[in-house]
Amino acid sequence: IPGENGYLVEPGDVNCLAQRLIQLLDDPAKCRAFGEQGSRLVRENYNWEAVGRRMKEQITATLQLAPRLLA
């Protein structure tokens, strides 16, 4: 999430990347906050329960479409 757990930089935009890296090097507290937020995001969204739930939703949706695709 831009500004909450990191920064987004357009591919090839070396100047923007350099500016963001300088900002992070100048602000250890921001680095720490980004790391904590990123870690929380991963723990909440990429655990077995959360991934399994999303997989089940996708499989169920696909199976509901299957009869229409075969008709």
Side-chain angles (χ1 to χ4, degrees):
I1 302 169
E4 185 175 319
N5 58 14
Y7 293 122
L8 290 178
V9 175
E10 290 293 323
D13 191 344
V14 177
N15 290 329
C16 184
L17 177 60
Q19 289 173 346
R20 293 300 193 185
L21 289 171
I22 290 168
Q23 288 174 339
L24 290 171
L25 289 170
D26 286 342
D27 192 348
K30 172 75 82 177
C31 289
R32 205 168 11 266
F34 278 0
E36 290 168 2
Q37 290 296 327
S39 180
R40 182 184 56 78
L41 180 77
V42 169
R43 282 192 315 273
E44 290 174 0
N45 293 291
Y46 299 100
N47 58 62
W48 284 112
E49 183 178 331
V51 171
R53 182 176 47 252
R54 287 194 301 274
M55 288 176 65
K56 179 183 175 187
E57 291 168 0
Q58 290 297 314
I59 291 168
T60 301
T62 301
L63 290 174
Q64 288 174 351
L65 287 175
R68 287 183 263 164
L69 296 174
L70 298 174

